[in-house]
Amino acid sequence: MSSVSSRQAEIQKLLRNQGTVHIHDLAALFHASLDTIRRDLRQMEENGHLRRIHGGAVLPNTAHESYTERAQELQPERSTIAQKAARDLIPDHCVAFFDSGTTICEVARNLKPSFRGTIITINPMIAVELASHPNANVIMLGGTFRKTDMAVCGPTTIDEIRKFNADIALLGTCALHPEAGLSTSSSEERATKAAMISQSAEIIAITTADKLETSLPYRVCDIDAISHLVTGRKLSTGYLANYSRRGLNIIQA
């Protein structure tokens, strides 16, 4: 294996484990110039192995994968994010919308035993997960079931969401960009997230680092509609500056 092939294989391994890589980190790790790393990333993008972003690269978009496949990716980071959010951001007596994302399901799994509030969810797996929680009140919303997302959606779901005034909406994040805001790949999911935002006092976006600096066709909200952004990697202050400048409280688990 050539040094180029070996280096690119290692970059791919880092991406699978971390979701995001940064050119300065890679240059230091491989004792290579920034131009060499940029050339590697460009070649790997052409081959479909990654997607370049400012200052680094992320994994290619995985919107076509099943819920189960998505849940297996970046599992250590998801678990770290979920534990942080469940411990520090979900008050014991709040009313909270729980969105459909795989990391949101991890939050439900890590919800403190002392929690005595109400979780309103569109994801049946979250409802089942919380069935064993000793104190949580769980409301499972109705609607058309989207198997790929493990979530209900449609007019019935929107009508039911509008019956509640929640303290928190805990949103799964498909794509988050400082200019394009929060976005997703389907109009149904966009409508559901927007409804939860409109009925909640505080919005918490939960995301693995690979979803940052990305955008999808259906815009949910501007970046300043989000109160807190929880991500799992210790990203540099410079990398997150465009988000913090827009008023987000950034929490790195």
Side-chain angles (χ1 to χ4, degrees):
M1 181 181 291
S2 70
S3 59
V4 173
S5 298
S6 177
R7 189 172 57 246
Q8 292 186 6
E10 287 299 313
I11 292 172
Q12 188 66 27
K13 186 184 298 183
L14 287 169
L15 270 172
R16 286 196 297 269
N17 290 334
Q18 301 176 357
T20 309
V21 292
H22 302 280
I23 58 173
H24 288 88
D25 294 340
L26 295 175
L29 177 64
F30 297 115
H31 305 289
S33 70
L34 292 177
D35 284 343
T36 295
I37 297 302
R38 289 190 183 98
R39 186 162 53 250
D40 282 337
L41 298 184
R42 185 167 57 250
Q43 291 173 356
M44 294 175 72
E45 184 176 51
E46 290 170 355
N47 292 327
H49 298 311
L50 55 77
R51 183 173 55 79
R52 286 184 297 162
I53 60 172
H54 177 70
V58 297
L59 290 167
N61 187 279
T62 57
H64 63 283
E65 293 182 344
S66 71
Y67 183 94
T68 302
E69 289 169 332
R70 295 195 300 273
Q72 298 307 311
E73 296 176 344
L74 308 175
Q75 186 56 36
E77 186 181 1
R78 291 185 192 280
S79 181
T80 300
I81 293 169
Q83 291 171 27
K84 180 72 172 177
R87 183 179 66 244
D88 296 345
L89 295 175
I90 312 297
D92 282 349
H93 298 281
C94 74
V95 176
F97 287 115
F98 270 34
D99 198 8
S100 62
T102 54
T103 310
I104 306 297
C105 196
E106 287 278 343
V107 176
R109 190 172 293 123
N110 285 277
L111 204 60
K112 293 179 293 186
S114 59
F115 180 81
R116 294 178 178 276
T118 298
I119 301 299
I120 307 162
T121 188
I122 61 173
N123 184 335
M125 294 186 71
I126 290 175
V128 170
E129 190 66 48
L130 290 173
S132 60
H133 190 282
N135 300 305
N137 179 38
V138 183
I139 298 174
M140 178 69 222
L141 300 180
T144 302
F145 183 54
R146 285 171 57 91
K147 295 179 182 179
T148 55
D149 296 328
M150 284 292 177
V152 294
C153 66
T156 298
T157 307
I158 303 302
D159 286 345
E160 293 196 7
I161 288 172
R162 288 173 177 161
K163 294 176 183 177
F164 300 96
N165 290 316
D167 301 301
I168 293 169
L170 195 66
L171 298 183
T173 306
C174 302
L176 189 65
H177 190 280
E179 301 297 335
L182 178 66
S183 57
T184 187
S185 58
S186 75
S187 60
E188 294 90 348
E189 188 174 19
R190 189 217 68 80
T192 304
K193 289 180 187 293
M196 287 190 283
I197 289 170
S198 71
Q199 299 301 122
S200 302
E202 190 172 62
I203 311 303
I204 302 171
I206 304 289
T207 182
T208 50
D210 59 303
K211 303 300 192 300
L212 298 176
E213 302 293 318
T214 66
S215 63
L216 290 167
Y218 295 93
R219 185 185 180 103
V220 178
C221 67
D222 291 335
I223 201 81
D224 57 8
I226 300 169
S227 310
H228 305 283
L229 169 63
V230 188
T231 188
R233 289 198 56 212
K234 300 299 182 182
L235 301 173
S236 69
T237 301
Y239 186 83
L240 295 171
N242 286 336
Y243 298 92
S244 58
R245 276 198 291 267
R246 285 167 166 76
L248 273 73
N249 176 34
I250 298 174
I251 301 166
Q252 294 180 269

